[in-house]
Amino acid sequence: DQGLLVSGALDFGTLRTDADAVERTLRFVSFGTDAVRIDSLALDSASAGFTLLGGPAAPMTLQPGESLDITVRFDPAVAGAAT
C-alpha cells in the first residue's frame, strides 16, 4: 500500500514583469506501508516563467513517512495570465 500526498499552494498572485521573482514550496509526503518511487519532476513546456528549484535528482524513492520539498519559482517575462 502506497500513496503520495502533495501539499502547498501555487497561487503566485498578480506580479509585475519588472518585480522580483516569487517562490512557493510544495511538499511531497509518502504515506502507506510501501515506498513511493518518483521517476521525474517536470513542468509543462508551456509554463513560461516557472522554474523548479532544489530537491534531489530523479529517480528518487520516498520511504513511508519521508517528505521532499520542491520550490517553484515564478518570474514572468511577459504580461498576461500564466498557468
Side-chain angles (χ1 to χ4, degrees), residues 23-52:
E23 297 178 357
R24 299 286 185 261
T25 300
L26 290 176
R27 174 165 283 174
F28 296 81
V29 181
S30 172
F31 68 90
T33 56
D34 297 325
V36 173
R37 179 181 166 97
I38 300 172
D39 289 319
S40 66
L41 292 171
L43 294 171
D44 184 293
S45 62
S47 301
F50 293 93
T51 309
L52 291 177

Side-chain angles (χ1 to χ4, degrees), residues 32-83:
T33 56
D34 297 325
V36 173
R37 179 181 166 97
I38 300 172
D39 289 319
S40 66
L41 292 171
L43 294 171
D44 184 293
S45 62
S47 301
F50 293 93
T51 309
L52 291 177
L53 305 174
M60 67 195 86
T61 301
L62 293 179
Q63 298 299 324
E66 286 187 327
S67 64
L68 168 68
D69 289 343
I70 298 292
T71 300
V72 179
R73 173 183 283 169
F74 182 49
D75 191 7
V78 295
T83 59

Side-chain angles (χ1 to χ4, degrees), residues 4-18:
L4 188 64
L5 172 69
V6 181
S7 65
L10 287 182
D11 183 352
F12 292 90
T14 301
L15 301 176
R16 296 172 48 99
T17 56
D18 60 350

